[in-house]
Amino acid sequence: AVIGNAASADVTTYTDHVLDINIGGDDVAPDQRSKRPPVVFVVTSQGKILALDEKDQLVWIVHLEKVVLDSNEENDEEISSDASLLDNQWFYAGSFMQEVSPDELDVDDGMGMDLNAQAGLHITCLSKAGHVVSVSTDATTSIAMKGGASCEEGSECIGSFENGLECGGWSPDGEILALVTFADEEEQEEGSDAKIPILMTMNTQYEILSEIRLDPCVAAERTAEKEAFTHPNAISMCWRPDSSSLAVSTMDANVNNKPLRRVRTFSTTLQLISLSKEEDGSGRDVPNLLSISPTWAPAGCSHYVGVVQSSRPLTLKSAKSRQVSMQVAFMEPNGLRHRECKIHNTCVAKEEKDEITGVSFNLEGDLLAVTSTVTSLSDESIAQYGKVQLYHRSNYHWYLKTELRYDDHSTQSSSSALVSMAIFSAEDPYKLTIALQSKNSGDDLLEWREYCFRWDSSNVYSHYQQSSALAISVDGKKLNFTPLDKAMVPPPMYAGYVELPAPVVGITSRPSFYHDLPSQDGVRKIGFVATMSNGKLAMLQSGGKVKNGNTMIHGFDPPCLAATIDLQTINCVVGESETKSLQATCLRDLTIIDTDDNSYTVVALYSPQATQNQHLNFDNLVEMKISWGDSSETEQVDVDVTITELLQLESRALRIVNWTDTEYAPGARGSALIELNDGMLLEYNQGGTIETCEAGPLLEACPSIAGIFDAHSNEISATDPIDGSEACHDVHSQRLVVGLSSRYRLYCGERLLSSASSSFEVSLSHRFITHVTIGSRPHLHFLPIESLRDFDPFTESDNHAVLDGYEPRLVERGARLVSIFPSRPSLVLQMPRGNLEGISPRGLVLPYVMSKIQNGEIHEAFDIMRRQRVDLNLIVDLNPSNFLSCVADQLICQIEKIDSINLFISSLIDVDSTFKYPVPSWIRQGIPGATNVYGDDSKVNVVCRKMRELMLSVEKDGITSSGKAVEKGHFLLPILSTFAKESPPKVEEALSLIKDSASSAKAKQSKGKSVLISEYVQSSIQYLAFLSDYELIFNTALGMYDFDLAKAVARHSQMDPKVYLPMLKRLRELPISLACFDVDVKLKRFESALRHLVASSSYNETDEEMANHKNKCMSFIEEHSLHKLGLELFQEDADFYRSIMVSLGERMLKERKSEEALTIFLLADPKCLDGGKRAARDCGDWKAYFACCAEDNETLSTDQVTNLAETISSKFGNMKDKSDAFASAARILQDYCQDVGYAVDMLISGHLWSEGRRVAHLHNRPDLVKKCVDASVTYAQTCIDDLVDRASTFETTIARYAEVIELRRNAIKEAEEAGAEIHDDSASMFSMASTISNTSLSSSASGRSMGSVGSVGTVASVSTVISVGATSTFSFTGDVDNMKHKSKFNKIGRDKKKKQKKSRNSRRRKPGGEEELTELVATLTHGCPDEYYVAVISSTLIFLMQSGKRSMAEQLLDSYTSIETVVLKLQTERLDKDRKKQEEIERSTRMEGGIYQLVQHPCENDIDAFRCKPLLETVTKVFSFLL
């Protein structure tokens, strides 16, 4: 279990396949070889290359020694004696891809090897004798397929070095071959055994690129025997993964007069880059480096070159006999040593010696593989076996996570195997290939195994007795334990540990099962089972009398070792033959599926060992029962293991896990979830039953999975115990499986939840699946289990809402989820730096708090909400009816601190907090539907009243509903809070409560002192002032007319005593009514002041005093507009009542409410005719005006009447209002002046042709009749010209509008995509357009004589938008000193640049902008005649026809029909063109895979609806007969 990415890892390994190849016997006959193409090439140290197909069948074999001998015979060369001794020591084989140009492809198809003409894969082999052989795999395969006798014809000996080769290898990119050989003996110094190594590089054509001589070094002795360890003086090298440099390790002969190993790094041109030195800056060489080939970490890793270092100097003799501590020292690019990896000595016996043979990094640099050979130095015999240790780096510490041993005990073979090579995959960082060499019946067997490692992100045990979140980490033989709820210490630190006999390779914990009995203190409980590298199991116990003692935290005792189990001595219920292939070290994924008092039922996976040329691509599942004694007195327990089931799976299994809801689901007991390599999910049930899981296969294999057995359970909590017969598999249950793939994709069955997540955890107590995303803005997501269970991607409307989860939270980039505490709303994250952080995210806090409120645990919920700053309104808003019925009483009973109750009341607001705190569905199920529990009042007022009622009732009874005694006055401050929190604040009631409580025992004072100045009352007043304000409280006390209370309030306020003491003294001396009047005036309670002022009339005795009193009342009424109250108070006084009515009328006139004033004046008794006439003239009611004049016996002259008519006709407004005004003026002139001519002129000005003709005929005036007809003809001609202009203007404007509206659409779309606020001033377009004069044909009659008739119908011009720049302002800017005059004593204006004149066009509107669009809309609005204009044209047409002017009527009709047709045509063409363009845009957008969204400007709908209004139906019917 890795805490985050660092602390520990439960590394589970499994073998893909095992191959046994006899390399010591005769070759396989050609007719028995495979005809399939080779995919694997094996090179042995004896000089053989074996090509194997996909089923590991031999395709061909090449003897490298034959290639060398054939080459020497052709060149007539003799093999040296040294070379004959080393003929079997081939130490390197590397491949590269040979490339050729197209010009070189036309070559002869000979069987020989032509490096310049042959392309494809080539294998370069190096031997200690100095031979360099290149094997063309394509050519050799072609020879083998054609049945060639000798496959060596596809190989060539490039050359041989006389002095042999020490080391060499291709660069990772296959471009450069580096070799190390020695110079001739003649070049060595006399009397010195040191040799001079030569480092050279070659290209793919084996041409030397560079060559350099190194410092003399001590050479390794050449022997014909292949040793199991590297010679201490051997030279080794390694390439950097990016092929930019290489490192060479040599034993320099003379460093301070003694040999010392150094590591040098060179560039590809063999330029020296660095030399290994200590990091302390002293320049000392790094001591005790060993000859093991160094390893280079990949790019991006902080460690670069890793070299094995011993704790003391080793010689050839001591290296074979003594065991010393080892470590891998890391060298930075500058050669300085920086940190190290301690290598664990895991030998069991003291006589065993561990010899390191190699080290290598994986692709990501976080794993370090250390291979070694263990030699038993007993007197009887010497036995050897190999092992591989894997170290994981995190937080600057290297953990031993797993160890693979290949001794005879673990492999159940007759002999142990040595590790000849361990190399990580170049593609998968957690895939490792290990080559083994062993002997069977005298034959050398080569065996290799491929391991895939699955890393768990975290392992936190939540059912430990002393911790609800126990983190476990593996480090070799030690298991480190950290209770995260007691000590959140980051790894590599820990709180306690237990040391086991062998390194731990896996650990499983005991889950809590349904209806488990709680463990008793002092009773032994086996909580963990660990698998060790020696093939044994370790049982760890907690409780009992045996204590671990290895703890660093008080109150925490880590588990201790109870027993070890040797799986080689287990009992077997099934057939013995089926368990012979069971290897103890191959067991993985040990899982506890059932328990009782003294036994476990355990299932595990293991891979069967393959036989020669036969792959077994499946895994076996084994079920075991582990039993132990019940004694807790002894330190060790007796354990018995029995295999009860052994099943074969369909294919390789990736892992097996417990169901996460074993504690809640009865059917999960005795069951486990199995995932195969292809993502297939299976269920295993105790007794050997395997069936397909209904959760469905995962879309890809997920190394980390978690399953829920019963996802339909809405109550994930323990229920009442039931009979064991009922605790069976629920046929209606639904499985839910969540998995995280190696590519960090999170799946739930066949649904992709997240494309990039680093870790996840299923928390049943919180009902969430929590995961952390990866990216530039990583979030912590909480996906409700119920939402995932019911989620249907085909019918769900809001997919993103489900996948975003509940209240996601931002986290630091690189954070990983470690654990979620089951009993509190907190979780632990590991940051990329390795430190642990405990947080309480909203996603956990809110559901936790809501459930606590729902369960009545108000105290705990309140405490968490206060600490996590959650709005306390949630207590009310979660279930308002439940709060008013019971939660409010629970809150008063459970919360003991008065300050907490005050905090709750003060935080109340009239906003539903569930809008910002969504209620999860499983909590919402227990809440009734939304009802208005507050009625017409607000939430705050209702809650405050309810709380106040409960607290007053508790104080009255002296005891709460829970039985807690309460003194009187205990809830005084919360009650005051309820008064102050209501809207409006009930400060007066609060002061009354304080005054009433002043008589209690707490407020008793000595004689002679007022109780209102006691400390009890003063503290209450201070608290009330904290809630509101001292000035408000003082004014309220003053408004209660309680001057003693006001003085008590003012004592501790910031008011000046010189101000409030004289004021209070003066008020006490006044009569009560006058004092109340002054107080009301001060508090601006004018209605109450008027009442008290009227009441003070009883103090007036004389008529003069009464008159002054009434004048004072009238002044007060007029000053504060209290006419309504005055009329109510003075109903009995008729004269003063009429005075108030007249005053009210005058007030209405001042407020420009003339019609109301006219009614008020005429309502007075007697009527106020003068005011009525003024009001009638002001509102234009000429009928009421003449009525008032008649009642007042006033006679008006002709000039007065004429002036009144002209005044009425000059009224401003739209065309219809002006027409009505002209009609009224004509009526006045006709009735009161008998001026028929002027009356007809008024009617002509209002386009009332028929009425003018009627009046003219009435008074027998033919001249006036002709005048009406001529005016209508002139007006018709004016209308014709106007309609032509309107049609032309509309045509040009609508074309520009189509261009501008397209630009505005694009601007809106770009603003929406950018997330910017769209500036939309279109709302002002129509408000401005409404002021445009559509009354284009308004007349301007001036004086009695009309002048020419042609001036009647002039068309008004369209007003334009007034530029803001037209407004000019003047203000002083700058400091006061700048106002001084300029002289030689100041520098005003000298250093300032002259202001540049603004361009005249600076405020010119931008083409295509909103301003231009506004003007276009205004022009188009004017272009279409409005409804009244069309009515006037219709009446003119009828009048012309009736007057015999048919030709002019037809011309006017044609003009209107023409503009109507033009507008309809232009609008239709524009809309059709726009529709087609939008369809084309939609089609192209959808073809490109985009989402089309129609964008419209707010003004488009109104402009699209522009059409000319139809003429009156009478006109159309008449002309239908005539035309």
Side-chain angles (χ1 to χ4, degrees), residues 1373-1412:
T1373 59
D1375 299 331
V1376 178
D1377 292 339
N1378 294 337
M1379 302 300 177
K1380 299 178 180 179
H1381 67 281
K1382 187 188 301 183
S1383 68
K1384 63 180 180 179
F1385 299 106
N1386 59 58
K1387 298 182 179 180
I1388 297 176
R1390 295 184 183 180
D1391 299 332
K1392 294 183 178 179
K1393 296 181 179 180
K1394 293 184 178 180
K1395 295 182 179 179
Q1396 297 180 355
K1397 293 183 179 180
K1398 293 184 179 180
S1399 175
R1400 293 182 179 179
N1401 299 328
S1402 60
R1403 293 188 179 272
R1404 182 178 298 173
R1405 60 174 174 79
K1406 296 181 180 180
E1410 285 290 337
E1411 293 183 1
E1412 183 182 5

Side-chain angles (χ1 to χ4, degrees), residues 712-724:
H712 275 291
S713 175
N714 290 324
E715 294 292 334
I716 306 181
S717 60
T719 57
D720 296 334
I722 58 177
D723 186 23

Side-chain angles (χ1 to χ4, degrees), residues 6 20 100 102 152 154 174 176 229 274 282 296 573 614 672 799-800 957 966 996 1002 1199 1224 1282 1309 1324 1370 1417:
D20 297 333
V100 297
E152 284 76 13
I176 300 176
F229 57 90
S274 63
S282 62
W296 211 311
V573 176
Q614 182 181 1
N799 191 355
H800 295 286
D957 297 339
V966 174
D996 294 340
K1002 296 181 180 180
D1199 293 338
S1224 299
D1282 177 60
K1309 184 177 181 181
S1324 63
F1370 176 80
V1417 171

Side-chain angles (χ1 to χ4, degrees), residues 604-668:
L605 300 171
Y606 78 93
S607 301
Q609 186 174 6
T611 59
Q612 184 173 358
N613 299 330
Q614 182 181 1
H615 288 283
L616 301 179
N617 293 321
F618 60 86
D619 279 336
N620 289 334
L621 186 142
V622 58
E623 178 185 315
M624 299 180 292
K625 186 171 184 178
I626 304 176
S627 306
W628 61 87
D630 58 354
S631 175
S632 60
E633 302 292 334
T634 60
E635 185 172 346
Q636 294 289 329
V637 296
D638 296 330
V639 181
D640 183 31
V641 181
T642 303
I643 296 180
T644 57
E645 296 292 340
L646 185 62
L647 304 175
Q648 177 179 323
L649 301 178
E650 300 176 359
S651 61
R652 294 290 185 184
L654 186 57
R655 71 174 309 161
I656 179 172
V657 295
N658 287 113
W659 298 101
T660 56
D661 55 344
T662 55
E663 186 176 359
Y664 312 115

Side-chain angles (χ1 to χ4, degrees), residues 395-642:
N395 280 23
Y396 305 102
H397 180 75
W398 288 87
Y399 298 84
L400 174 57
K401 291 304 178 184
T402 190
E403 181 182 79
L404 305 175
R405 292 188 181 183
Y406 302 98
D407 56 349
D408 53 356
H409 179 73
S410 62
T411 59
Q412 290 186 350
S413 59
S414 58
S415 62
S416 301
L418 301 180
V419 179
S420 59
M421 182 190 67
I423 183 172
F424 283 99
S425 171
E427 299 177 355
D428 189 348
Y430 301 119
K431 188 173 183 179
L432 177 66
T433 301
I434 298 177
L436 304 176
Q437 189 172 3
S438 61
K439 290 186 177 182
N440 187 10
S441 301
D443 296 332
D444 291 334
L445 296 179
L446 179 62
E447 173 186 348
W448 76 87
R449 302 183 182 182
E450 294 180 359
Y451 292 87
C452 293
F453 296 88
R454 188 200 69 236
W455 293 79
D456 291 334
S457 60
S458 63
N459 188 3
V460 179
Y461 185 56
S462 59
H463 304 290
Y464 195 63
Q465 294 178 351
Q466 303 174 12
S467 173
S468 62
L470 181 65
I472 311 168
S473 62
V474 176
D475 191 7
K477 295 182 180 181
K478 292 172 61 177
L479 273 175
N480 301 329
F481 298 91
T482 301
L484 297 178
D485 53 351
K486 297 182 179 179
M488 198 174 296
V489 293
M493 295 182 289
Y494 49 85
Y497 70 93
V498 59
E499 188 168 353
L500 302 181
V504 180
V505 296
I507 184 171
T508 183
S509 58
R510 178 193 184 278
S512 290
F513 290 104
Y514 188 71
H515 288 328
D516 269 351
L517 296 177
S519 58
Q520 301 177 1
D521 296 336
V523 178
R524 169 183 290 155
K525 180 181 180 181
I526 304 296
F528 306 93
V529 179
T531 56
M532 297 181 290
S533 61
N534 60 359
K536 296 182 179 181
L537 301 181
M539 309 284 290
L540 304 181
Q541 68 174 4
S542 60
K545 297 183 178 180
V546 180
K547 301 295 182 182
N548 187 331
N550 298 321
T551 181
M552 302 177 186
I553 298 178
H554 179 71
F556 170 71
D557 189 28
C560 60
L561 181 62
T564 57
I565 306 172
D566 190 353
L567 294 180
Q568 307 302 325
T569 60
I570 59 178
N571 300 322
C572 183
V573 176
V574 297
E576 292 287 344
S577 60
E578 299 180 12
T579 58
K580 288 183 178 180
S581 61
L582 175 61
Q583 298 183 16
T585 56
C586 292
L587 286 178
R588 66 180 192 277
D589 281 336
L590 205 66
T591 305
I592 302 172
I593 62 172
D594 196 5
T595 64
D596 54 25
D597 293 338
N598 296 312
S599 67
Y600 281 168
T601 300
V602 179
V603 293
L605 300 171
Y606 78 93
S607 301
Q609 186 174 6
T611 59
Q612 184 173 358
N613 299 330
Q614 182 181 1
H615 288 283
L616 301 179
N617 293 321
F618 60 86
D619 279 336
N620 289 334
L621 186 142
V622 58
E623 178 185 315
M624 299 180 292
K625 186 171 184 178
I626 304 176
S627 306
W628 61 87
D630 58 354
S631 175
S632 60
E633 302 292 334
T634 60
E635 185 172 346
Q636 294 289 329
V637 296
D638 296 330
V639 181
D640 183 31
V641 181
T642 303

Side-chain angles (χ1 to χ4, degrees), residues 589-812:
D589 281 336
L590 205 66
T591 305
I592 302 172
I593 62 172
D594 196 5
T595 64
D596 54 25
D597 293 338
N598 296 312
S599 67
Y600 281 168
T601 300
V602 179
V603 293
L605 300 171
Y606 78 93
S607 301
Q609 186 174 6
T611 59
Q612 184 173 358
N613 299 330
Q614 182 181 1
H615 288 283
L616 301 179
N617 293 321
F618 60 86
D619 279 336
N620 289 334
L621 186 142
V622 58
E623 178 185 315
M624 299 180 292
K625 186 171 184 178
I626 304 176
S627 306
W628 61 87
D630 58 354
S631 175
S632 60
E633 302 292 334
T634 60
E635 185 172 346
Q636 294 289 329
V637 296
D638 296 330
V639 181
D640 183 31
V641 181
T642 303
I643 296 180
T644 57
E645 296 292 340
L646 185 62
L647 304 175
Q648 177 179 323
L649 301 178
E650 300 176 359
S651 61
R652 294 290 185 184
L654 186 57
R655 71 174 309 161
I656 179 172
V657 295
N658 287 113
W659 298 101
T660 56
D661 55 344
T662 55
E663 186 176 359
Y664 312 115
R669 187 164 195 159
S671 178
L673 176 64
I674 304 173
E675 181 189 8
L676 303 182
N677 270 352
D678 56 356
M680 186 67 181
L681 299 177
L682 304 176
E683 290 184 28
Y684 175 80
N685 294 314
Q686 188 174 356
T689 304
I690 297 180
E691 57 185 11
T692 303
C693 181
E694 66 181 33
L698 300 174
L699 293 182
E700 63 177 305
C702 296
S704 180
I705 62 172
I708 300 176
F709 186 84
D710 187 3
H712 275 291
S713 175
N714 290 324
E715 294 292 334
I716 306 181
S717 60
T719 57
D720 296 334
I722 58 177
D723 186 23
S725 59
E726 299 180 7
C728 59
H729 179 74
D730 185 3
V731 295
H732 299 289
S733 66
Q734 179 181 350
R735 312 294 188 265
L736 195 66
V737 178
V738 181
L740 182 65
S741 71
S742 56
R743 291 186 287 181
Y744 304 105
R745 295 175 180 172
L746 186 65
Y747 296 96
C748 180
E750 296 182 347
R751 299 188 297 269
L752 178 65
L753 301 182
S754 172
S755 59
S757 292
S758 62
S759 53
F760 81 97
E761 184 169 344
V762 178
S763 177
L764 296 180
S765 57
H766 300 286
R767 300 192 180 189
F768 283 125
I769 295 175
T770 308
H771 68 97
V772 180
T773 59
I774 304 172
S776 59
R777 289 176 58 83
H779 281 78
L780 186 66
H781 290 272
F782 303 91
L783 307 182
I785 297 177
E786 185 180 21
S787 299
L788 288 180
R789 181 197 65 193
D790 301 333
F791 174 67
D792 187 357
F794 299 102
T795 59
E796 194 71 27
S797 59
D798 195 356
N799 191 355
H800 295 286
V802 176
L803 299 183
D804 286 343
Y806 183 81
E807 294 289 324
R809 170 183 172 141
L810 275 171
V811 295
E812 186 177 346

